[in-house]
Amino acid sequence: MDRASIRSATTEDYSHTLVAPGTRAIALVDCNAFYASAERVFQPSIANHPTIVLSNNDGCVIARSAEAKALGIAMGAPFFKIKSLIRKENVVVFSSNYALYGDMSHRVVATLSQFAPDVEVYSIDEAFLDLTGFLDRDLTAYCREIKRTVQQWTGIPVGIGIAETKTLAKIANRLAKKSAKTGGVLNLVGTRYRTAALERTEVGDVWGIGRRYAAMLGLNGIKTALALANADDRWIRKKMGVVGLRTVFELRGIACIPLELAPPARQSCCCSRSFGNAVTTAGGLREAVASHVATAAAKIRRSGLAAGSVNVFISTNRFKPEDPQYSNAITLTVDVATHNGLALGRVARRAVDMIYRDGYAYKKAGVILLDLQPAAGVIGTLFDDPDPRGDAVMGAIDTINNRYGRSTIRLAAEGFGQPWQMRRTKLSPRYTTRISEVPVVKAS
């Protein structure tokens, strides 16, 4: 799409566009540099400073502001390799604050729900909106109002792409965020600009086209989204299957991927972390696994699920080949499916004792709760002797932690000092979820 086309695409032409009957309008709202933007909401003084957010244990870059990207800081760059650049350019650095990001994501979605009847939360920083009922309006102007409102109510900047299908909306969103002339909103519904947008998009940037398919398509002369949209159906079906053909139809404006208004039922729940300091004892490993079990159990309780089996895995640091290496995993079945953290913790402890080996420095451990099923439908056995206080205890723990913050109260098995916890030396306050960390305004 050339500059003239983009300039035209942002005018009021869309208010006079004739849309064919049966046309859908799907908007993709994508938060700009979401983690970095969430940090800036509560620290407005860094609004124009290059800002990055680091992964677990402050390992590598997982979010960058536009200013940080302009400095050449790459996604995934190891933190230790860019420390000199950070000092030189006065880059603001944060450890990942998932409690803050999750809550800010909920606030963005709550705002979006004011503008559309159906909203699909696609990821922590993306959501699809069904705007089909608003086709009699100027969709560009309407989405500019959405963008302004999200910024005003949450402080998070967003980009919006509108098109007839989810795949085209992804392309529109990408172009909207890349070109300043769009003002962060690009509408491709019922316009002649779709062809230009597809021609400008490399095939590897199409939603659902991975690296392997992009290489295969490139070898066959299909290097843009437009070329993919014009490809032979039978050839695509042969090379990429039904899923690939669905993507082609979506690029042609034929909706094949519906909005998922309810998340699919969970099949498993995983909780794992790399340790801030290596764990060398069975006791330390038991504590870490107990903490992971408690977190995972709380998650499935919120979803009304129960776990029928528990998988525990442990590993040493593969990035230190000079150290002795060991990894193992085991899955144990629960007698009766449950979401009780005490019961699941006992199973996980037994699993740790079965796979632990002395003489190794463990870097990571994790728990996966498997065979999830609705807790209301669990039927005990004749010999089952459930603790009648179990649900009451778990409910009390959840109530306290939901009100005062995660781990306000926890099981003794999780330990107290927890030296294995992640390193997060640049962690910002949990402004919106921890009462003791709520910002305080003081009169000057």
Side-chain angles (χ1 to χ4, degrees):
M1 188 182 295
D2 56 27
R3 293 184 178 181
S5 297
I6 292 177
R7 190 179 304 112
S8 299
T10 62
T11 66
E12 298 300 311
D13 289 347
Y14 290 115
S15 59
H16 309 294
T17 298
L18 294 178
V19 179
T23 298
R24 295 177 70 206
I26 303 298
L28 174 63
V29 181
D30 184 11
C31 301
N32 299 339
F34 177 58
Y35 290 177
S37 296
E39 299 286 359
R40 285 173 161 182
V41 169
F42 299 94
Q43 299 194 41
S45 61
I46 65 170
N48 298 314
H49 285 70
T51 305
I52 62 172
V53 177
L54 303 176
S55 63
N56 295 343
N57 287 311
D58 296 342
C60 60
V61 177
I62 59 172
R64 307 161 295 162
S65 68
E67 297 83 0
K69 293 177 184 177
L71 293 176
I73 297 177
M75 183 68 78
F79 180 47
F80 74 92
K81 288 187 176 182
I82 59 173
K83 283 186 175 180
S84 59
L85 176 63
I86 287 171
R87 287 191 294 268
K88 178 183 177 182
E89 301 294 342
N90 196 27
V91 177
V92 181
V93 182
F94 291 99
S95 300
S96 48
N97 187 341
Y98 298 118
L100 174 65
Y101 309 149
D103 187 68
M104 294 301 293
S105 176
H106 292 321
R107 295 180 183 212
V108 171
V109 172
T111 304
L112 295 177
S113 66
Q114 306 295 311
F115 289 91
D118 295 326
V119 178
E120 175 192 335
V121 180
Y122 179 66
S123 67
I124 194 170
D125 62 345
E126 292 179 285
F128 288 103
L129 279 60
D130 189 346
L131 300 182
T132 303
F134 301 88
L135 285 171
D136 59 337
R137 301 190 184 190
D138 178 352
L139 290 182
T140 301
Y142 188 61
C143 286
R144 290 197 192 285
E145 178 61 24
I146 295 175
K147 177 179 171 65
R148 282 193 295 269
T149 305
V150 172
Q151 177 89 51
Q152 181 181 358
W153 290 9
T154 71
I156 301 294
V158 301
I160 305 178
I162 317 113
E164 293 88 344
T165 70
K166 292 170 76 172
T167 303
L168 286 172
K170 277 272 193 178
I171 289 176
N173 180 278
R174 184 173 180 274
L175 293 174
K177 295 175 73 172
K178 289 183 66 175
S179 172
K181 291 186 178 294
T182 64
V185 176
L186 179 60
N187 178 14
L188 297 179
V189 175
T191 76
R192 64 182 184 275
Y193 301 111
R194 185 203 298 170
T195 299
L198 294 177
E199 189 173 23
R200 189 180 177 186
T201 303
E202 295 183 7
V203 72
D205 292 327
V206 175
W207 186 38
I209 302 297
R211 194 173 297 175
R212 183 170 63 88
Y213 276 141
M216 182 274 293
L217 291 169
L219 290 174
N220 286 275
I222 300 175
K223 298 182 179 180
T224 67
L226 181 62
L228 180 59
N230 292 330
D232 179 74
D233 291 356
R234 288 174 296 181
W235 187 86
I236 292 293
R237 175 70 181 267
K238 179 180 178 182
K239 295 290 186 179
M240 302 175 65
V242 174
V243 174
L245 190 59
R246 184 179 65 179
T247 298
V248 170
F249 285 169
E250 286 256 323
L251 291 175
R252 296 171 183 169
I254 303 170
C256 300
I257 308 175
L259 261 64
E260 295 183 3
L261 304 181
R266 301 184 72 156
Q267 302 299 314
S268 63
C269 180
C270 179
C271 182
S272 68
R273 290 286 186 276
S274 295
F275 302 139
N277 297 295
V279 174
T280 58
T281 65
L285 206 55
R286 292 191 196 104
E287 286 185 1
V289 168
S291 179
H292 295 335
V293 170
T295 299
K299 288 182 179 180
I300 66 172
R301 284 197 297 272
R302 287 195 294 269
S303 301
L305 300 172
S309 58
V310 179
N311 174 273
V312 175
F313 57 91
I314 58 177
S315 65
T316 53
N317 191 347
R318 62 188 178 89
F319 295 107
K320 287 188 174 181
E322 66 275 12
D323 292 347
Q325 298 295 308
Y326 172 72
S327 63
N328 206 342
I330 190 171
T331 300
L332 299 181
T333 302
V334 182
D335 291 337
V336 177
T338 181
H339 53 206
N340 186 305
L342 289 165
L344 294 171
R346 287 191 289 269
V347 175
R349 179 188 176 98
R350 192 165 76 247
V352 170
D353 291 342
M354 293 173 68
I355 62 176
Y356 173 78
R357 296 290 181 272
D358 199 9
Y360 294 95
Y362 294 95
K363 183 62 177 176
K364 187 174 184 178
V367 171
I368 307 176
L369 302 183
L370 301 166
D371 302 326
L372 299 186
Q373 55 192 279
V378 173
I379 300 175
T381 68
L382 179 63
F383 304 102
D384 182 30
D385 185 22
D387 181 357
R389 301 168 299 174
D391 287 344
V393 171
M394 293 297 108
I397 291 175
D398 291 341
T399 299
I400 293 171
N401 287 338
N402 289 339
R403 181 171 182 178
Y404 296 105
R406 179 180 168 185
S407 295
T408 298
I409 183 172
R410 61 176 182 261
L411 303 177
E414 299 177 54
F416 295 94
Q418 297 185 333
W420 40 266
Q421 283 282 15
M422 289 188 299
R423 286 193 306 273
R424 292 194 286 181
T425 59
K426 303 179 184 298
L427 183 65
S428 59
R430 291 156 290 189
Y431 301 101
T432 62
T433 58
R434 177 75 67 150
I435 192 69
S436 61
E437 299 176 15
V438 170
V440 176
V441 177
K442 297 181 180 179
S444 58

